[in-house]
Amino acid sequence: MSSSLILKINEGFYSLPIFETMGIRAIFTTRFLDMALLVKKDKKAEVLRNQAFKKMGVPLKTLVCPLQVHEAGIAVVREKDKGRGMYYRGDAMDATDALVTDIKKLKIGVRTADCLPVFIGDPYQRSIAIVHAGWRGINQKIIVRTIERMVKEFLVDPKDLYFAFGPALRSCCYEVGKEFLEIFPESIDEKSGKYYFDLILEARRQITGAGVPSTHILDSRICTSCANHEFFSYRREGLAAGRMLSFIEIM
Ligand SMILES: [Zn+2]
């Protein structure tokens, strides 16, 4: 299997066919619709989102999202959590940046604009995870911790897990201060006296270090800043940036 990822492009979202063959649906949206968690009740926004997803052919039902805090907390999503964080901050899963579940037809999602959404699927034990990974989360080994949680909860073997990286700020555009050399010495590019962080390389290294074959890691290769016409980028747009939704679901 190639490490590049063949994406299926649709109106308003991309799907990841590699997971389809495992009976798992994995999708990330584009900037056609801001999917940020809403601060207060907004019936109009709910209706708009529902209509857009219905048109996409993936009804926005039983989505569960966390309040993301750039740390390394992981929550196991149960039946009773259905709908939490579907629209609002107020009922979102507690401060966590990764969700895992083995419940069918339940979408678990994260919202991003530059941070890396990581899709994880196990075709054998039929369990899934979604991770919101920025540099802080990566520094706290959030993806590795998510793998460990899947091992504990669902008895998965890391060798059986498949990964996909959604759109994120890539090393072409991720300029950082020199202090990053100390945090991620092996994942910094130096170009004309400037430093660029390769979040994807660091994520990849941590995942393979946890026992996942490198051929099981697929990458959309989309840079949110280079492809800002299609994706939100916090780096490019600042506070005005909306959020893409990435979710995964066992069919
Ligand atoms: Zn770029």
Side-chain angles (χ1 to χ4, degrees), residues 169-173 223-227:
L169 193 67
R170 308 261 159 171
S171 60
C172 43
C173 299
C223 173
T224 44
S225 183
C226 292

Side-chain angles (χ1 to χ4, degrees), residues 68-180:
Q68 301 165 189
V69 287
H70 294 277
E71 287 176 11
I74 299 150
V76 180
V77 178
R78 321 266 185 208
E79 196 77 33
K80 64 176 170 49
D81 298 314
K82 269 185 180 173
R84 292 186 65 187
M86 193 157 133
Y87 308 107
Y88 300 104
R89 293 180 65 84
D91 59 14
M93 294 291 284
D94 298 338
T96 47
D97 287 84
L99 300 176
V100 300
T101 195
D102 63 349
I103 297 171
K104 269 188 177 181
K105 303 214 179 283
L106 195 149
K107 298 176 178 72
I108 51 175
V110 291
R111 277 127 162 141
T112 61
D114 288 347
C115 283
L116 177 68
V118 182
F119 301 84
I120 310 175
D122 172 11
Y124 304 106
Q125 301 298 331
R126 304 273 292 156
S127 59
I128 51 171
I130 189 99
V131 182
H132 161 251
W135 74 265
R136 292 184 191 84
I138 288 283
N139 192 31
Q140 295 174 56
K141 306 275 194 297
I142 185 162
I143 307 176
V144 175
R145 289 187 196 202
T146 304
I147 296 170
E148 289 166 357
R149 193 64 184 266
M150 291 177 86
V151 170
K152 186 175 159 229
E153 297 284 337
F154 311 123
L155 309 176
V156 308
D157 183 335
K159 288 199 291 293
D160 295 335
L161 294 176
Y162 284 82
F163 287 72
F165 298 147
L169 193 67
R170 308 261 159 171
S171 60
C172 43
C173 299
Y174 202 159
E175 192 184 342
V176 292
K178 202 178 175 182
E179 67 279 8
F180 268 65

